[in-house]
Structure formats: structure tokens, C-alpha cells
Amino acid sequence: MALPSIYVRELLRLPRWTLMLGLPLLVVASLSSAWAIDTAIHRDRVVRNVKIAGETVGGLSDVALRARVEAIANRLMSTRIAIESEIGSGNWTASDLGVSMDVAATYDAVMRTRRKGTLSRPVNWLSALTSDTSTEIKIDVDMSKLEAVLHGHPGLRIEPLEPSIQVVQGRLQVVPGVAGKLIDLDQTSQILTDVMQRGGSPTIRVGTVEVIPKFNDDQVVDLVGAANKIVDTQPELRLNDYQTILPSHVVANWFDLETTGQKPALAINKSLVLPSLEDLLMPGNTGAGQAEFNVHGETVSIIS
């Protein structure tokens, strides 16, 4: 039934602001209705235009999304990863390094995409009609497996050098220890997580951490100080009618530093003592037999 002409004339006489306000409200109401209908249709599906790992999963059902996420997880585990560092490099698959995708967490993240916030949902829905949204895949790194591979690889480790000793101008001197180097696992784990979320077969550059020697230099300095008191004694040696001084550099070369125990220790290498004494006392040798020796404190007695 047509409106009487009088009503039409009355509508046309409405203030302009009423028409300007009513039009936006009509548009909002229409969009809200469309959002509500589309949301009901996609209640158990991924919202439109969602991607993970470069693949579009928007509109997939619950079952289809789980299958797609599992397929992506399997593909990710075979991804080749090259690791470079200042101490060496290597190439492994993601599964070798203990890198995997958390299927359940990734599935949940996809289903929540653009569904957060009650008031913002219509806006998110409208945005999804015209643009893509990439959902971040959830990466897990098994640190024990990563450590076993990277710290167990001989090309990716520099062993620390313990302090040692050398003879300089007839006295013992400490050679400082040198720290070793290993791959920084925490940094490597973070970088792996970041690059695997972006996809592809990455080559990553990682840093290193220092490995401190078991013993510090000061422990050996104290031992060397005590040993040098013995070295500086220079006792007198006598064989038959021949006598000589035991040079400090000879005694210094008898000492070995042992670093295999719980504490560093200096010990005399007995296999070096007798040959040294025989060389020194050769002028006094009468051919009566091989010389033997006894050490009493700071005195070395030769037994012919």
C-alpha cells in the first residue's frame, strides 16, 4: 500500500541531520548483520584469508586444519639448516637439532586468529575480507638434543687449554691457560625459532661462549714459586774426585705439571733425572759402574 502523499511530503521535510545520521546507522546495521551471518557459517572453521608458513588455511574445517598443520610440521622437521660460527660450521635437518613444531599450540593459534575481543571482532572480520593474516607457528627446541649435536661436534668446539709451565732463563715460568669456545645454545635456540617461523631453508650465524679452564693461573703460580726455590738452590755434585754444580736450568726441566687431578700438582719426572746427572758427572766416571743418587732435602748424594 502506497504512503499517502502527505506522509511523503512530511519525510522530505525531515531535517538533513536526521538523514545524515540514519545512513551510517543503516550501513553499520547491514555490516553487523553480514558479520553475524558469516561468523555463524564459519563458527567451526578458520576465518577468511589466514596463512601459516606461507600456506592459506582460511575457511578450513577443524579436521582439515589439523591435517594441514601436521603436514606442515612433518615438512618442517626435514628442513635443512646450515649453522655458521667463528669456530666452524655444519649442516643438519631441523629434527637433528631437536627443532619441531608444536602442532596443538599452532592449531589453537590459527583458530583464535581474528577472533579475539568482542568489540573488535566485526572490524577484524571486515579486515579479513580484504587482507591476509599470517599466524605465527609455534616452534619447540629440545635443548638437550641441540647441546648433544652442537657441543658434541668436533668442528664446533675449541677445548680450553689448562695453565702450563716452561723454562725461561733457568727458572720455571707459568704459561697462562686459554679459554675454549662452544656454540651459544640459548642464542642459537632463539635464532632457530625465529627463522623457522619465517620458513625456508635457512643459513644462520650464531655466537659462541667461553669455556673456562679447570684450573686458574694463580693456582699454578703458587706451585711454580715453591718449585723455583728448589731450582735456585744449585746443590753441589761430587763423583770420585770430580765435583760440579747442579745447574738451575737442568733441575727446572725435571718438573712436570699435572692437571688431571682435582688440583694442579708439580712432580719431578724421574726418567729425566739420572740421564742429566750422568751427563754432568761424566768427567768423574772411572768406569766402576753406573752412578746412582739419593736426594735428602736440598742435597743430592751420588752413590758410585
Side-chain angles (χ1 to χ4, degrees):
M1 177 178 174
L3 289 173
S5 60
I6 187 173
Y7 292 151
V8 174
R9 287 196 300 271
E10 290 299 323
L11 286 173
L12 293 175
R13 289 174 185 173
L14 289 174
R16 182 178 296 179
W17 65 266
T18 304
L19 296 175
M20 293 179 65
L21 180 62
L23 184 60
L25 290 176
L26 179 62
V27 172
V28 170
S30 299
L31 290 176
S32 296
S33 298
W35 164 73
I37 295 171
D38 193 61
T39 299
I41 294 173
H42 287 80
R43 184 178 303 278
D44 297 323
R45 293 176 177 272
V46 184
V47 298
R48 299 176 186 275
N49 296 328
V50 174
K51 290 184 176 182
I52 54 170
E55 295 190 21
T56 299
V57 295
L60 291 183
S61 66
D62 181 317
V63 175
L65 176 62
R66 289 185 185 277
R68 183 70 63 85
V69 171
E70 289 176 358
I72 293 173
N74 292 333
R75 187 177 71 243
L76 181 145
M77 293 182 68
S78 62
T79 300
R80 300 297 302 181
I81 301 173
I83 295 180
E84 298 178 348
S85 72
E86 62 177 307
I87 58 176
S89 60
N91 193 291
W92 298 270
T93 64
S95 60
D96 291 336
L97 298 172
V99 179
S100 61
M101 189 175 85
D102 188 329
V103 173
T106 300
Y107 168 85
D108 290 340
V110 172
M111 293 301 292
R112 289 195 305 269
T113 300
R114 283 180 166 167
R115 282 193 164 99
K116 297 179 180 178
T118 302
L119 297 178
S120 62
R121 284 187 181 183
V123 177
N124 291 335
W125 169 80
L126 184 61
S127 175
L129 297 177
T130 58
S131 63
D132 294 332
T133 299
S134 293
T135 301
E136 187 177 89
I137 62 176
K138 305 302 181 182
I139 298 296
D140 286 335
V141 180
D142 185 335
M143 295 300 291
S144 61
K145 193 170 185 179
L146 186 66
E147 179 180 8
V149 172
L150 297 185
H151 285 184
H153 192 282
L156 290 177
R157 61 185 296 124
I158 297 177
E159 298 293 348
L161 297 178
E162 298 296 332
S164 58
I165 57 174
Q166 63 182 359
V167 178
V168 178
Q169 297 180 347
R171 304 185 86 245
L172 290 171
Q173 188 178 81
V174 177
V175 178
V178 179
K181 289 184 177 181
L182 289 173
I183 296 296
D184 186 336
L185 294 179
D186 290 335
Q187 183 198 58
T188 301
S189 173
Q190 184 59 57
I191 294 176
L192 283 172
T193 299
D194 293 340
V195 299
M196 295 307 292
Q197 288 172 343
R198 294 196 296 269
S201 297
T203 296
I204 64 174
R205 182 81 181 179
V206 299
T208 58
V209 292
E210 286 193 342
V211 182
I212 305 302
K214 182 168 66 171
F215 304 119
N216 63 58
D217 298 340
D218 291 340
Q219 291 175 283
V220 181
V221 167
D222 293 340
L223 293 174
V224 166
N228 276 330
K229 292 180 180 179
I230 300 174
V231 170
D232 293 339
T233 301
Q234 293 187 315
E236 184 179 277
L237 300 179
R238 181 186 298 272
L239 178 61
N240 297 324
D241 295 330
Y242 177 76
Q243 65 181 44
T244 187
I245 298 297
L246 182 58
S248 60
H249 72 274
V250 173
V251 179
N253 279 290
W254 289 350
F255 283 95
D256 288 334
L257 178 64
E258 297 179 355
T259 56
T260 57
Q262 295 298 315
K263 295 181 179 180
L266 278 176
I268 290 180
N269 187 338
K270 296 181 179 181
S271 65
L272 299 177
V273 176
L274 191 56
S276 299
L277 294 178
E278 288 179 337
D279 290 342
L280 288 170
L281 297 173
M282 184 62 68
N285 188 8
T286 61
Q290 187 177 33
E292 297 180 0
F293 71 95
N294 285 327
V295 179
H296 299 284
E298 298 178 354
T299 302
V300 179
S301 302
I302 307 300
I303 303 173
S304 177

